[in-house]
Amino acid sequence: MTEKMVKLTIDDQEVEAPEGTLIVNAAKMIGNDIPVFCYHPKMEPVGMCRMCLVEIGRPVKDRQTGEWVREEDGSLQIQFGPKLETACTTPISEGMVVRGNSKKALAGRKDILEFLLTSHPLDCPICDKGGECPLQNLTMAFGPGQSRFLVDEKYHLGKHVPLGELIILDRERCIQCARCTRFQDEIVDDHVIGFFQRGRGLEIVTFSDPGFDSYFSGNTTDICPVGALTTIDFRFEARPWELMVGASICPHCPVGCNTSLNTRREARAQGDVVIKRVMPRQNEKVNEIWICDKGRFAYHFAQSGDRLVQPMVRRDGELIPTTWTDALNTAAEGFKASSTGPNAGKDVLAIGSGRLSNEDLYNLQRFSTGLGGRSVLYTSMGGGDLVAQVGVGQGTNFSDMGPGTTILVAACDLQEEAPIWFLRVKQAVDRGANLVVVNPRTTKLEKYASQVVRYAYGAEAQTILGMVNTLSAKRPDLGEAAPAASRDGRINEAAQSVSRAENLVIIYGSEGTGLESSQALAQACANLL
Ligand code: SF4
Ligand code: SF4
Ligand code: FES
């Protein structure tokens, strides 16, 4: 179905955008950034901060005839509302005229900023958000040059309030935009923080024990438009402008979230470059703009004193630090010894990682086969080879999954094993995708599933084969356990649910599985596909 397009004018520029687009987003299409605080493109608009106030004019219709009223020159007559309106909650309409830079709109913006700053501590010089703070930037761009409020008259609130082990709150910096609470409610579905009290005394509090108990809490510090929420890890560690930014990929789980490593040289690391923080890097096909707390905070191993930073050779049972030349010679002697004699090559096994470059893998393979041994790509083990053959192809995007897609999650606690996929599967279900969970114990994901199948640990492959059996004619090749499993009513229902999918995606995990059972599970999933 083609989208209906709507034409309007924003700050004297014509824009055409799909019906239903919010003014703030239509403006963005022509490079016009209407300032916002509470609006966030990943969440429902709430119109709480009023920073995006604009003048909006709409074409006038004659009430009696239903015809558009026209000016003498034939153009549509536009009537502007008496008050400013929020660009973040108002959808565009045909012929609309928006003024974001008029005297009235600019005065509105200035007033809102002055109002937000009445009780703001203005402690930018010691605020961790300083240098990358939307409130600071928008105050510089649109705010009043001077405050009419005395510091002593300001409403003071707690400045060092840990919400949990990872996140700290400065209560008087909060501008009550609710981005953090909406993120936890809408995106994560962990209702662990919320508003308490009213008016200027309103505060963010945590309801959970332990505090701010969520795997995704760090994201609230990215989207908080002020320095109210910051991470305890980065607190007072560096100023943003001192940091170098390098693109990276999170190494902690299969999602491979895109990240930016913020680094700088430090005296306490003897002048070495150290990671100061890990930030999400936008990739709409992988992690959108989010990362989990493991990806954000589990980087300190890079500076661990236990890290291997120089070659070592085991002599008389002891690992002895040595030079590269000595270490390489010792390794070469060991390989030479294994490649001669009656067992030549049998003791040589090279295990390669799928993260190596093709050139490195080629050299590794030449090296091991040259010695009469063999090499194994560990990412092909445990079913990895089948994933390469029948798994999702390049360009697969969670954002496209909705009605017609069924996602089967088997033997996997997705929030533990691949946290961002948990969010993405949940969002796909929110858009209308069907979710089937097959797991030996309860997981958080089940809440969103239409079908849940429970099995005894170790029976994951048989359970999936039971689904295959339900859907196909008698299959003697499916093994003995499959017919018994397929008699289970829940398996039948899950199988029927899967069979109705126009698009089936299977995520299999490692809940209670080892290498062999993982291979069997992957084979069963491949059969089902
Ligand atoms: S803590 Fe930050 S994100 Fe949360 S309501 Fe306050 S200003 Fe908004
Ligand atoms: S989900 Fe978390 S652990 Fe996995 S890649 Fe993303 S940030 Fe890293
Ligand atoms: S950004 Fe529109 S009201 Fe906050």
Side-chain angles (χ1 to χ4, degrees), residues 162-214:
L163 288 181
E165 286 185 346
L166 301 172
I167 309 297
I168 193 159
L169 168 69
D170 184 314
R171 284 198 162 130
E172 56 185 17
R173 288 183 193 150
C174 174
I175 58 164
Q176 309 177 355
C177 69
R179 275 188 177 190
C180 54
T181 54
R182 286 183 290 139
F183 169 78
Q184 286 301 135
D185 294 346
E186 286 177 34
I187 309 275
V188 188
D189 200 13
D190 273 342
H191 309 269
V192 292
I193 54 171
F195 281 154
F196 178 63
Q197 299 290 16
R198 306 177 60 186
R200 197 62 197 92
L202 186 144
E203 300 174 1
I204 297 291
V205 291
T206 176
F207 319 124
S208 60
D209 183 13
F212 210 160
D213 190 14
S214 171

Side-chain angles (χ1 to χ4, degrees), residues 240-266:
W241 55 86
E242 299 165 355
L243 299 171
M244 292 170 288
V245 178
S248 189
I249 302 285
C250 176
H252 298 301
C253 90
V255 179
C257 289
N258 290 207
T259 56
S260 296
L261 300 184
N262 288 195
T263 60
R264 75 167 184 191
R265 288 191 185 279
E266 283 206 334

